[in-house]
Amino acid sequence: MKNAQQELPFRQWGGARKGAGRKRQSARANVPHRPREEFRKGALHVTLRIRREVWNLRTHRCFRALQRAFAAGCERFGFRLVHFSVQGNHIHMIVEAPDAEALARAMKGIEVRMARALNKVMDRSGPVFADRYHAHVLTSPREAANAVRYVLENWIVHAMRNADPAPSGVDPFCSAAVRECGPPLVAQPRWWLLCVGIRKRIERLAA
């Protein structure tokens, strides 16, 4: 008599289920890995976040390293870094770029420069940025003016969030601070939104 073949139960691993996958290391959601928004001759608000083990960027040693990177990469491939603000663990930028491809090439170059400069200061190797850059296309003079103000006054925003007294004057770690020596850290805007649109918006509000 033949013995019947015994059926062996197989373990059910994998598949879509609640709680599956690598756990997020940070409470902040990462920038989604989807195609970048297409644009032509755009002005953008770009944000870069650094890893937790990287030193505070608002120190003179780290900021000097970033200044060298800004000076070398502020105008490449049609990309122009127009404004910036360096905070403790992130950097805000207002930039101009002819299209998404040129923005990606220029951002890759400036990120490499910043990472190398910061790693040299910290005597370390490895990644510096926590995530891919976030870029938001500015579409109106009002939005552009608000974005520039937000970037240049970002230290006030963080002080208010931490319930600290609001600082006065110009943030020394932003592009609006006066620097009498050394190469320029930013480039002059060339396109209508950051050249004319913002100025007309400010004049309209002052009228």
Side-chain angles (χ1 to χ4, degrees):
M1 180 180 293
K2 288 186 177 181
N3 293 329
Q5 177 67 40
Q6 183 180 3
E7 293 186 5
L8 299 176
F10 291 97
R11 293 184 177 181
Q12 300 297 316
W13 295 106
R17 64 191 188 279
K18 185 177 181 180
R22 179 184 293 181
K23 302 301 181 288
R24 183 178 294 158
Q25 299 297 314
S26 172
R28 181 182 294 274
N30 292 336
V31 178
H33 281 263
R34 56 173 175 252
R36 300 283 188 182
E37 181 180 356
E38 295 294 330
F39 61 88
R40 298 292 295 175
K41 290 188 175 181
L44 303 97
H45 178 190
V46 176
T47 306
L48 287 163
R49 298 194 176 277
I50 63 170
R51 298 172 68 91
R52 287 181 295 178
E53 62 268 24
V54 176
W55 292 355
N56 185 345
L57 300 182
R58 289 176 70 86
T59 63
H60 290 294
R61 292 180 66 189
C62 288
F63 187 64
R64 281 197 299 268
L66 293 176
Q67 284 180 303
R68 294 191 292 271
F70 292 153
C74 66
E75 191 166 8
R76 291 175 60 83
F77 308 115
F79 164 95
R80 287 177 290 278
L81 171 61
V82 180
H83 299 290
F84 68 80
S85 170
V86 175
Q87 301 304 314
N89 64 353
H90 61 281
I91 301 169
H92 289 287
M93 299 176 176
I94 301 294
V95 307
E96 286 183 336
D99 52 42
E101 182 180 354
L103 175 66
R105 292 175 64 193
M107 287 302 301
K108 182 177 180 180
I110 201 168
E111 284 183 54
V112 169
R113 287 184 172 88
M114 288 191 286
R116 287 177 176 171
L118 290 170
N119 276 338
K120 185 176 181 180
V121 168
M122 296 182 291
D123 193 22
R124 71 184 286 272
S125 60
V128 166
F129 295 99
D131 193 11
R132 68 202 298 244
Y133 66 87
H134 176 268
H136 173 70
V137 180
L138 306 173
T139 59
S140 68
R142 177 181 180 180
E143 186 180 27
N146 289 340
V148 170
R149 181 179 179 182
Y150 177 83
V151 168
L152 297 182
E153 298 181 0
N154 199 241
W155 68 330
I156 300 177
V157 174
H158 286 280
M160 295 175 63
R161 287 177 182 172
N162 297 329
D164 295 330
S168 60
V170 177
D171 183 359
F173 297 98
C174 83
S175 54
V178 176
R179 296 176 178 89
E180 297 179 352
C181 59
L185 306 183
V186 294
Q188 292 297 317
R190 296 184 184 178
W191 295 329
W192 184 86
L193 189 58
L194 296 183
C195 285
V196 180
I198 286 183
R199 176 172 53 80
K200 287 188 174 182
R201 171 68 182 176
I202 295 173
E203 290 174 353
R204 187 179 301 116
L205 292 176

